[in-house]
Coordinates of all heavy atoms in Angstrom, one line a residue:
H170 N 131.3 132.1 114.2 CA 130.2 131.2 114.6 C 130.1 130.0 113.7 O 130.6 130.0 112.6 CB 128.8 132.0 114.6 CG 128.4 132.4 113.3 ND1 127.7 131.6 112.4 CD2 128.4 133.6 112.6 CE1 127.4 132.2 111.3 NE2 127.9 133.5 111.4
A171 N 129.6 128.9 114.2 CA 129.4 127.7 113.4 C 128.5 127.9 112.3 O 127.4 128.6 112.4 CB 129.0 126.6 114.3
A172 N 128.8 127.3 111.1 CA 127.9 127.3 110.0 C 128.0 126.1 109.2 O 128.7 126.0 108.2 CB 128.3 128.6 109.1
R173 N 127.3 125.0 109.7 CA 127.3 123.7 109.0 C 125.9 123.6 108.4 O 124.9 123.5 109.2 CB 127.7 122.6 109.9 CG 129.2 122.6 110.3 CD 129.5 121.5 111.2 NE 128.9 121.6 112.5 CZ 129.4 122.2 113.5 NH1 130.5 122.9 113.4 NH2 128.7 122.3 114.7
F174 N 125.8 123.4 107.1 CA 124.5 123.4 106.5 C 124.5 122.5 105.3 O 125.5 122.1 104.8 CB 124.1 124.8 106.0 CG 125.2 125.6 105.3 CD1 125.5 125.3 104.0 CD2 126.0 126.5 106.0 CE1 126.5 126.0 103.3 CE2 127.0 127.1 105.4 CZ 127.3 126.9 104.0
L175 N 123.3 122.1 104.9 CA 123.1 121.3 103.6 C 123.0 122.3 102.5 O 122.0 123.1 102.4 CB 121.9 120.4 103.8 CG 121.4 119.8 102.5 CD1 122.4 118.9 101.9 CD2 120.1 119.0 102.8
L176 N 123.9 122.3 101.6 CA 124.0 123.3 100.5 C 123.2 122.7 99.3 O 123.6 121.6 98.8 CB 125.4 123.6 100.1 CG 125.6 124.6 99.0 CD1 125.0 126.0 99.4 CD2 127.1 124.8 98.7
V177 N 122.2 123.3 98.9 CA 121.4 122.9 97.7 C 121.4 124.0 96.7 O 121.0 125.2 97.1 CB 120.0 122.5 98.1 CG1 119.2 122.0 96.9 CG2 120.0 121.3 99.1
G178 N 121.7 123.8 95.5 CA 121.7 124.8 94.5 C 120.9 124.3 93.2 O 121.0 123.1 92.9
T179 N 120.2 125.2 92.6 CA 119.6 124.9 91.3 C 120.1 125.9 90.3 O 120.5 127.0 90.6 CB 118.1 125.0 91.4 OG1 117.7 126.3 91.8 CG2 117.5 124.0 92.4
M180 N 120.2 125.4 89.0 CA 120.7 126.3 88.0 C 120.2 125.8 86.6 O 119.9 124.6 86.4 CB 122.2 126.3 88.0 CG 122.8 124.9 87.7 SD 124.6 124.9 87.6 CE 124.8 125.5 85.9
N181 N 120.1 126.8 85.7 CA 119.8 126.5 84.3 C 121.1 126.6 83.5 O 121.7 127.8 83.4 CB 118.8 127.4 83.8 CG 118.4 127.1 82.3 OD1 119.0 126.3 81.6 ND2 117.3 127.7 81.9
P182 N 121.7 125.6 83.0 CA 123.0 125.7 82.3 C 123.1 126.7 81.2 O 124.1 127.1 80.8 CB 123.3 124.2 81.8 CG 122.4 123.4 82.7 CD 121.2 124.2 83.0
E183 N 121.9 127.0 80.6 CA 121.9 128.0 79.5 C 122.4 129.4 80.0 O 122.8 130.2 79.2 CB 120.5 128.1 79.0 CG 120.0 126.9 78.3 CD 118.5 127.0 77.8 OE1 117.9 128.1 78.0 OE2 118.0 126.1 77.1
E184 N 122.3 129.6 81.3 CA 122.7 130.9 81.9 C 124.2 130.9 82.3 O 124.6 131.9 82.9 CB 121.8 131.3 83.1 CG 120.4 131.5 82.7 CD 120.2 132.7 81.8 OE1 121.1 133.7 81.9 OE2 119.3 132.8 81.0
G185 N 124.9 129.9 82.0 CA 126.3 129.8 82.4 C 126.6 128.7 83.4 O 125.7 128.2 84.1
E186 N 127.9 128.4 83.5 CA 128.4 127.3 84.4 C 128.9 127.9 85.7 O 129.2 129.1 85.8 CB 129.4 126.5 83.7 CG 128.8 125.6 82.6 CD 128.0 124.5 83.2 OE1 128.1 124.2 84.4 OE2 127.3 123.8 82.4
L187 N 129.1 127.0 86.6 CA 129.7 127.3 87.9 C 131.2 127.2 87.9 O 131.8 126.5 87.1 CB 129.2 126.3 89.0 CG 127.9 126.5 89.6 CD1 127.6 125.3 90.6 CD2 127.8 127.8 90.4

Side-chain angles (χ1 to χ4, degrees):
H170 64 83
R173 291 182 293 275
F174 45 81
L175 168 59
L176 182 61
V177 180
T179 56
M180 60 174 284
N181 184 348
E183 293 178 356
E184 294 296 331
E186 286 292 345
L187 276 177

